[in-house]
Amino acid sequence: MENDIILSLEHIMKIYLNGTVANEDVSFSLRRGEVHALLGENGAGKSTLMKILYGIENPTEGKIILKGRETTIKNSKEAISMGIGMVHQHFMLVPSLTAAENIVLGAVPKKWGIFIDKRTAVKEAEEIASTYHFNINVNEKVKNLSVGLKQKVEILKALYRGAEILIMDEPTAVLTPQETDELFVQLEKLKENGHTIIFISHKLDEIKQICDRATIMRRGRSMGTYEVSKISVEEMSRLMVGSELHTELKKSDDALGEVKVRVRDLQACDPLGVHKIQGIGFDVKGGEILGIAGVEGNGQAEVVEILTGLYKNYTGQVEISGQDTAPLSVKQIRKLRLSHIPEDRMQSGCAPSLSILDNLFSNQYDGSEYSGKYMLNRERMESRAEELREEYLIKCESCRQNVGMLSGGNIQKVIAARELSTEPVIIVANQPTRGVDIGASQFIRKRLIDYRNKGAAVILVSADLSELLSLSDRIAVMYKGKITGMFSETEGLKEEVIGQYMLGILHQKEAGGVES
Amino acid sequence: MINTKNFTVFRRVFSVFIALLCSFVIIFLVSEEPVFAIVQLVTGPLRSVRNMSNVIETMIPLIFTGTGVCIMFSANQMNLACEGSFHLGGLVAAMCAIMLGLPPFISPVIAVAAAGICGAFYTSIPAVLKIKTGATELVSSLMLNYISLWLATYLMMRFIRDPGVGAASLPIPDSAALHALISGTRIHIGVIVAIGAAVLGELFLYRTKAGYEIRLVGENEAFARYSGINVVKVIFLSQLIGGLIAGIGGGIEILGPIYSRFSWTSLLGYGWDAVIICTLVKKKPLYTIPAALFLAYLRTGASIMARTTDVTLEIVQITQGIIIMLAVAEKFLEGYRMKLVEKEAKDNLKKGEVL
Ligand SMILES: Nc1ncnc2c1ncn2[C@@H]1O[C@H](COP(=O)(O)OP(=O)(O)OP(=O)(O)O)[C@@H](O)[C@H]1O
Ligand SMILES: [Mg+2]
């Protein structure tokens, strides 16, 4: 049983239409019933390899051997029929349909062969959700679901179709630690039931926790497969990057500046009238990082949207650099030197079909540096784009390439480069390192700290608690639209404690109170 | 040599070639004298100065509407009211020319400017309806085109009708008319204005702040809003400018030597053609010049063929249709392209290993 190879890939090469060699020579094999990790930096070719396996891309060269027989997988329908399922890095859901409809999509139960049987669809979706203990309302439209819940729908969709080999491309990037733990419990169960799982993540501790073996990729080549129990985290990262990684995050101890962000009695409903924020208040001073923790959907997203001017339907007071933001447009707020790294990079963070260059200046094209009264200064934009590309290690052929062609982590780098290159005074960063590899994550974190040290006020929303703890000066925990815990000292604070606040088990009396 | 860099051009040319080939086959099937018909179609436009002039004349309005539609579609608005803008632009220019009685030079300038303003107003209606009421611009603009036809006819009959001629206006006075630049042809100043419009359109979309905003809004509205761009304003502006250019086109067309009075009693279809051109050039205004030239050539050839042989004019529609289909079929010749790309990439890899 141990050495029962269910699938092997041999010398896979993939060249994309624009000439990018995404996979140069990749080989590895999967044992039945294992959780196999794929590790590599952003742009190493992990997603590409998985798309080949799932029939979305055709390999240029190489062999796929499934259960001892060489096969070609022409499209994902074939992949599904061979028992291969995939949870994509970016969501592949139909936003206007309900979760249930999305889950059964492609294998829809029919009434008399023609009519979609909604009731059975809902029943089956509920069944599969409860089998795997996914807590989700399947009747909700997908567009109203939080990112974490969307991820669950994606996983259920693959399971519903009976995936024997389940590919998971960074499934935990959008999950909170609790959700990740829950997912791992489910993965263990799947494993017991004989499912084989390919698991992609940039978080090495997760790999350590859940995976049996790991194949490491570097610049489109496989660098070998290792037993996870026999290799240290340091070795893994050395193999991925090709060199040791050492960046220390140093916070200066300068006195705090004046209040840059001031929120009082904030209340807000979402467009459906659900109370999302129920009276919160806080201050952020220049030179500090306020971390906001919370399970997805407890109001953090709304706070970010209100602060950045994208959502106006609120009561209470929000001031940025002393100015009431209620009458200000997004642009006017940005002109107060506020930068915003958005949560959903594909939906609002970039225009995939425009070039990297065009995407790098959407927040500053009208500044005097890059334009006159009417005209853009393309030369200056181009040279600046080259600088940013180097500084932020964006892996691409050229800056004229469309952003949509980049790997997930590199898209995130483009967004970070754009938002952090404007010398901001206030930074609202929502999951800034989501899906970014270790090296680049460290870099982005370092930039956040640098700005803090230079006197900027930073609000950091992150599902990654260790990131929150290492960066934040203070941490606020949000639960059901309220701040239920405010920690002005992060030293010695335990992830478990924050976790309990996030789940509403613990809460401080002065809920939503502002400290002196 | 075909390589990955010039591949797109190659594919475009090749699809034109295939489309022509299909048309030839059809001509062979339907015609008594197929070879003569094809010769007429292909070489007819070049055979006399007059025919060549015809090509240029046909090209002018196509460049105007093509450029207008490129700008409007760049904001992701399927607004087809260009047709109406062109038509009303023609009427308004005729009215100004006939009714105002301005001196030479000033008269055509004012007439064309009025045509442009009117055109801008017209394409902005679907945008306003969409912004205010959520009405789909595709449907409302289609309806508006019919309104423009009858509105123009009504205004013409009411204000500038020539009682002696029936359904046509009074003659356009000489002070407003755009005369032929080259004797023996009907090529007028409009050709320079049209090319200028396409060049400026290109600069506008790809080199100005406003053009950048339009493209951002067109490619991802949520992203534009997040970036701080006033989406409503940008959509409105793009539709205004598109209509402005189409309206100017209509004005110049009616003042040119082809027409001596406003006698358009049906829509001329340049708005539709503009959508074809916009598709062919992937929203790049500069390329509307060759695209319009090609389309004009094809039409002139076809009409010569229709005049001199037994093949009807409609054959152009087939050719056009095939070209469009191949132009939007992204996967066309993809296999061949893939081979080219792979070969180059592998060569590069080998070179990399040697170094
Ligand atoms: N459709 C495409 N066209 C052209 N190039 C592409 C395309 N998709 C990916 N690439 C390129 O292929 C390379 C590998 O991308 P891939 O998405 O496989 O990386 P990845 O290992 O999944 O990275 P990440 O960790 O950031 O998700 C990148 O350089 C990327 O720019
Ligand atoms: Mg990826």
Side-chain angles (χ1 to χ4, degrees):
Chain A
M1 199 62 196
E2 254 285 273
N3 285 321
D4 182 6
I5 303 289
I6 184 166
L7 171 88
S8 52
L9 298 173
E10 290 180 6
H11 304 294
I12 298 284
M13 174 188 256
K14 171 68 191 176
I15 299 170
Y16 278 112
L17 256 182
N18 66 345
T20 307
V21 186
N23 290 160
E24 200 180 325
D25 181 0
V26 187
S27 307
F28 81 93
S29 50
L30 269 186
R31 289 179 190 155
R32 187 185 297 277
E34 74 171 340
V35 181
H36 193 115
L38 263 189
L39 284 175
E41 292 189 285
N42 294 133
K46 306 177 296 291
S47 296
T48 301
L49 189 67
M50 292 304 105
K51 285 181 193 162
I52 289 172
L53 192 51
Y54 193 55
I56 299 175
E57 299 284 353
N58 296 320
T60 308
E61 278 177 16
K63 282 190 213 162
I64 301 174
I65 297 162
L66 185 66
K67 295 176 192 159
R69 221 174 313 132
E70 186 174 341
T71 36
T72 51
I73 306 174
K74 283 197 222 67
N75 50 46
S76 41
K77 210 168 173 185
E78 275 190 27
I80 293 167
S81 73
M82 292 174 190
I84 301 172
M86 177 154 176
V87 175
H88 293 270
Q89 186 169 7
H90 298 122
F91 298 125
M92 302 276 180
L93 299 170
V94 186
S96 57
L97 296 183
T98 66
E101 286 165 327
N102 267 287
I103 289 168
V104 301
L105 204 70
V108 194
K110 302 247 174 71
K111 231 187 232 167
W112 306 314
I114 29 174
F115 299 108
I116 293 175
D117 186 350
K118 282 214 173 154
R119 207 175 306 151
T120 318
V122 169
K123 207 177 109 236
E124 291 188 357
E126 266 168 357
E127 252 166 40
I128 191 139
S130 71
T131 314
Y132 294 104
H133 300 280
F134 280 26
N135 187 8
I136 179 172
N137 174 8
V138 297
N139 291 312
E140 187 68 69
K141 290 238 163 73
V142 162
K143 65 178 171 206
N144 300 330
L145 295 180
S146 68
V147 188
L149 287 175
K150 281 184 195 157
Q151 184 63 272
K152 289 187 177 169
V153 175
E154 281 281 12
I155 297 170
L156 288 173
K157 201 169 94 182
L159 293 175
Y160 179 78
R161 296 165 177 193
E164 199 178 340
I165 299 175
L166 187 61
I167 303 166
M168 305 188 111
D169 196 350
E170 302 196 27
T172 56
V174 294
L175 300 183
T176 58
Q178 283 81 8
E179 289 173 317
T180 302
D181 286 341
E182 268 174 48
L183 176 68
F184 285 180
V185 173
Q186 304 317 324
L187 291 189
E188 289 289 352
K189 282 212 186 107
L190 287 173
K191 201 173 123 175
E192 277 164 29
N193 292 336
H195 292 272
T196 309
I197 296 157
I198 303 179
F199 185 86
I200 300 178
S201 173
H202 290 290
K203 299 175 192 160
L204 297 181
D205 46 337
E206 289 181 2
I207 306 282
K208 270 277 185 203
Q209 193 182 338
I210 190 79
C211 298
D212 302 304
R213 295 195 305 157
T215 294
I216 293 174
M217 289 181 64
R218 188 157 91 208
R219 294 201 201 99
R221 292 172 161 275
S222 46
M223 309 300 292
T225 301
Y226 301 83
E227 296 283 337
V228 170
S229 55
K230 291 184 189 140
I231 182 170
S232 70
V233 168
E234 289 72 33
E235 258 177 296
M236 281 196 245
S237 71
R238 192 179 47 73
L239 281 163
M240 262 163 32
V241 187
S243 62
E244 297 291 328
L245 228 170
H246 281 301
T247 12
E248 240 178 283
L249 301 172
K250 238 189 265 139
K251 287 196 208 165
S252 66
D253 277 335
D254 293 347
L256 293 181
E258 53 199 54
V259 173
K260 292 272 166 55
V261 179
R262 197 181 131 94
V263 176
R264 289 290 179 281
D265 305 320
L266 186 64
Q267 306 234 13
C269 294
D270 68 5
L272 298 173
V274 181
H275 260 280
K276 283 293 188 180
I277 301 179
Q278 322 207 14
I280 63 173
F282 58 85
D283 285 340
V284 190
K285 295 193 174 114
E288 71 169 341
I289 298 182
L290 172 69
I292 297 183
V295 175
E296 186 105 29
N298 279 283
Q300 310 93 305
E302 285 75 13
V303 169
V304 168
E305 292 214 326
I306 290 169
L307 284 174
T308 53
L310 286 163
Y311 193 68
K312 290 288 181 196
N313 194 4
Y314 65 85
T315 59
Q317 225 187 346
V318 179
E319 283 178 15
I320 301 275
S321 297
Q323 280 204 44
D324 181 10
T325 61
L328 301 184
S329 68
V330 175
K331 179 152 274 178
Q332 286 166 325
I333 292 175
R334 278 182 172 273
K335 284 265 183 292
L336 298 171
R337 312 244 318 264
L338 175 140
S339 273
H340 173 199
I341 299 178
E343 177 178 24
D344 192 330
R345 59 178 168 240
M346 296 315 272
Q347 203 188 332
S348 57
C350 70
S353 46
L354 290 181
S355 65
I356 295 172
L357 184 99
D358 282 339
N359 271 282
L360 277 173
F361 294 96
S362 74
N363 59 342
Q364 51 193 314
Y365 65 96
D366 55 349
S368 58
E369 211 177 326
Y370 302 110
S371 60
K373 197 158 185 326
Y374 300 108
M375 304 302 283
L376 293 171
N377 187 337
R378 289 300 278 201
E379 285 77 44
R380 206 169 296 161
M381 283 167 86
E382 262 162 46
S383 62
R384 179 71 176 140
E386 283 305 319
E387 279 171 34
L388 289 175
R389 169 188 170 185
E390 254 168 55
E391 194 183 338
Y392 283 81
L393 312 165
I394 299 166
K395 191 170 174 279
C396 61
E397 305 281 310
S398 96
C399 285
R400 290 164 191 274
Q401 220 176 326
N402 286 355
V403 160
M405 284 182 183
L406 296 181
S407 78
N410 280 296
I411 295 175
Q412 186 69 22
K413 290 186 210 165
V414 170
I415 295 169
R418 179 184 66 222
E419 297 299 323
L420 299 181
S421 63
T422 52
E423 296 293 316
V425 184
I426 297 139
I427 301 171
V428 181
N430 200 348
Q431 323 289 351
T433 59
R434 178 174 278 177
V436 179
D437 65 37
I438 308 170
S441 288
Q442 278 307 82
F443 179 77
I444 292 174
R445 286 177 195 147
K446 189 167 168 311
R447 291 310 302 255
L448 290 176
I449 299 258
D450 287 346
Y451 277 116
R452 166 201 175 275
N453 293 348
K454 274 195 265 174
V458 181
I459 294 176
L460 172 70
V461 182
S462 178
D464 183 345
L465 286 187
S466 63
E467 174 172 278
L468 270 184
L469 282 170
S470 68
L471 295 187
S472 308
D473 297 294
R474 289 188 298 144
I475 290 183
V477 185
M478 287 190 69
Y479 178 70
K480 292 204 169 153
K482 290 189 178 137
I483 292 180
T484 53
M486 180 66 99
F487 304 92
S488 35
E489 190 60 57
T490 55
E491 202 91 9
L493 195 57
K494 289 226 170 55
E495 284 189 26
E496 291 75 48
V497 177
I498 298 182
Q500 300 209 305
Y501 277 87
M502 284 165 65
L503 294 173
I505 299 166
L506 293 177
H507 58 88
Q508 293 167 352
K509 283 225 178 68
E510 273 287 292
V514 185
E515 299 144 296
S516 54
Chain B
M1 238 311 265
I2 302 158
N3 58 34
T4 50
K5 297 220 172 55
N6 60 27
F7 183 82
T8 349
V9 178
F10 164 72
R11 179 163 65 182
R12 223 20 68 86
V13 173
F14 193 73
S15 52
V16 166
F17 182 73
I18 289 188
L20 285 175
L21 217 63
C22 293
S23 322
F24 294 168
V25 169
I26 295 170
I27 293 174
F28 263 97
L29 290 176
V30 301
S31 176
E32 299 280 314
E33 35 179 2
V35 177
F36 179 61
I38 290 171
V39 170
Q40 290 292 56
L41 174 67
V42 176
T43 66
L46 295 175
R47 233 156 323 111
S48 72
V49 174
R50 217 187 111 204
N51 292 353
M52 284 195 245
S53 158
N54 276 339
V55 174
I56 305 296
E57 289 155 27
T58 318
M59 178 186 84
I60 296 170
L62 289 173
I63 295 180
F64 279 116
T65 51
T67 302
V69 167
C70 280
I71 292 173
M72 303 204 321
F73 278 28
S74 286
N76 197 19
Q77 300 296 304
M78 295 294 140
N79 184 344
L80 302 176
C82 249
E83 183 77 57
S85 289
F86 188 88
H87 200 86
L88 282 178
L91 173 90
V92 167
M95 281 175 74
C96 288
I98 294 166
M99 295 169 75
L100 296 182
L102 294 167
F105 294 110
I106 298 178
S107 182
V109 170
I110 296 289
V112 169
I117 291 168
C118 174
F121 167 74
Y122 213 64
T123 43
S124 67
I125 298 174
V128 172
L129 286 179
K130 182 173 188 183
I131 291 159
K132 292 278 178 218
T133 70
T136 320
E137 72 280 5
L138 184 70
V139 178
S140 61
S141 64
L142 276 175
M143 296 301 122
L144 275 172
N145 284 343
Y146 292 107
I147 297 177
S148 77
L149 170 62
W150 298 111
L151 182 65
T153 308
Y154 167 75
L155 291 174
M156 186 263 282
M157 297 299 250
R158 176 89 172 71
F159 293 109
I160 52 174
R161 185 164 87 108
D162 185 343
V165 201
S169 75
L170 292 161
I172 287 163
D174 205 45
S175 59
L178 303 172
H179 298 290
L181 289 178
I182 309 163
S183 63
T185 71
R186 295 192 295 187
I187 298 174
H188 53 98
I189 184 88
V191 69
I192 296 167
V193 184
I195 290 173
V199 172
L200 286 179
E202 178 85 12
L203 282 178
F204 173 72
L205 265 187
Y206 292 92
R207 287 283 182 277
T208 67
K209 291 198 277 194
Y212 179 72
E213 288 170 351
I214 290 174
R215 289 186 297 123
L216 282 189
V217 169
E219 294 299 342
N220 185 350
E221 217 179 289
F223 174 53
R225 191 168 295 124
Y226 147 88
S227 300
I229 289 167
N230 186 337
V231 172
V232 167
K233 199 181 101 194
V234 168
I235 288 182
F236 190 67
L237 178 77
S238 65
Q239 307 308 296
L240 272 183
I241 291 181
L244 175 83
I245 298 172
I248 289 176
I252 286 183
E253 183 73 359
I254 201 72
L255 299 184
I258 305 169
Y259 301 97
S260 56
R261 347 170 150 251
F262 183 85
S263 55
W264 299 347
T265 48
S266 62
L267 295 172
L268 301 188
Y270 290 121
W272 288 113
D273 298 338
V275 177
I276 296 179
I277 290 177
C278 176
T279 316
L280 276 179
V281 303
K282 297 238 161 100
K283 299 183 212 159
K284 286 211 159 264
L286 195 58
Y287 297 152
T288 59
I289 301 170
L293 180 65
F294 169 72
L295 219 57
Y297 189 97
L298 196 66
R299 290 196 176 163
T300 310
S303 81
I304 294 168
M305 178 177 69
R307 258 188 276 126
T308 54
T309 72
D310 59 346
V311 183
T312 58
L313 199 59
E314 279 69 31
I315 192 84
V316 203
Q317 307 288 347
I318 298 177
T319 320
Q320 274 179 19
I322 297 170
I323 294 172
I324 299 295
M325 266 163 31
L326 292 178
V328 293
E330 291 283 336
K331 289 265 151 43
F332 177 56
L333 288 183
E334 202 78 331
Y336 180 58
R337 181 178 186 184
M338 197 65 235
K339 281 213 187 85
L340 287 174
V341 171
E342 279 169 14
K343 197 172 157 302
E344 271 176 34
K346 281 182 194 166
D347 286 350
N348 285 341
L349 282 181
K350 278 208 199 86
K351 260 186 246 151
E353 272 160 28
V354 175
L355 285 179

